[in-house]
Amino acid sequence: MVEKLLQSGIHWEKKEFRRNEFLKIAGSTDTSIYFIEKGSVRIFMTDEHEERIIRFGYTGNIIVSLDSFLSGNPSDLYIQAIKRTSVKVASKKIFMSSYNRMKRI
């Protein structure tokens, strides 16, 4: 499925993140989808006492702040590179358009 998405004609923008740099911060709206070409990220949230890691993303994974991606509303999630990371990024509009075309094939 990931390979099919990468070869589907979606316009992916390439971005680089240094260790500890944020792809997304809590309180922001993020309707992008990320393909991790190289590196690792963590997706987490915080409360008044501690961080709660939701998941990790590694080379070859697709990650997304799913609540924000689906609703278009701000999210409590952070996405942070845990080492130097290269990603391909696509907007929700472009992604959904390509996904709907793929379903018809």
Side-chain angles (χ1 to χ4, degrees):
M1 178 68 168
V2 172
E3 195 62 38
K4 195 172 183 180
L5 281 174
L6 293 173
Q7 296 174 358
S8 68
I10 293 175
H11 172 72
W12 295 93
E13 180 184 346
K14 191 168 184 168
K15 291 190 177 183
E16 302 277 333
F17 295 91
R18 296 182 309 275
R19 183 175 189 244
N20 294 327
E21 192 172 357
F22 288 92
L23 288 70
K24 183 207 172 301
I25 60 170
S28 65
T29 301
D30 188 0
T31 57
S32 296
I33 185 166
Y34 302 88
F35 172 73
I36 303 172
E37 286 190 295
K38 184 177 181 183
S40 303
V41 300
R42 67 184 182 132
I43 301 173
F44 68 99
M45 59 191 314
T46 61
D47 62 24
E48 62 268 2
H49 302 291
E50 63 187 1
E51 293 180 356
R52 299 181 190 279
I53 296 174
I54 307 300
R55 87 170 273 219
F56 291 97
Y58 302 103
T59 300
N61 289 162
I62 287 182
I63 59 160
V64 64
S65 176
L66 190 59
D67 57 343
S68 192
F69 184 83
L70 294 175
S71 71
N73 294 322
S75 168
D76 292 333
L77 297 176
Y78 293 85
I79 303 176
Q80 182 182 33
I82 54 179
K83 64 182 184 178
R84 181 177 289 281
T85 301
S86 300
V87 298
K88 289 183 175 180
V89 184
S91 71
K92 178 180 180 177
K93 182 179 179 181
I94 290 171
F95 174 79
M96 293 308 294
S97 174
S98 295
Y99 177 75
N100 288 331
R101 270 197 320 272
M102 282 175 30
K103 283 186 355 184
R104 287 184 248 133
I105 297 175

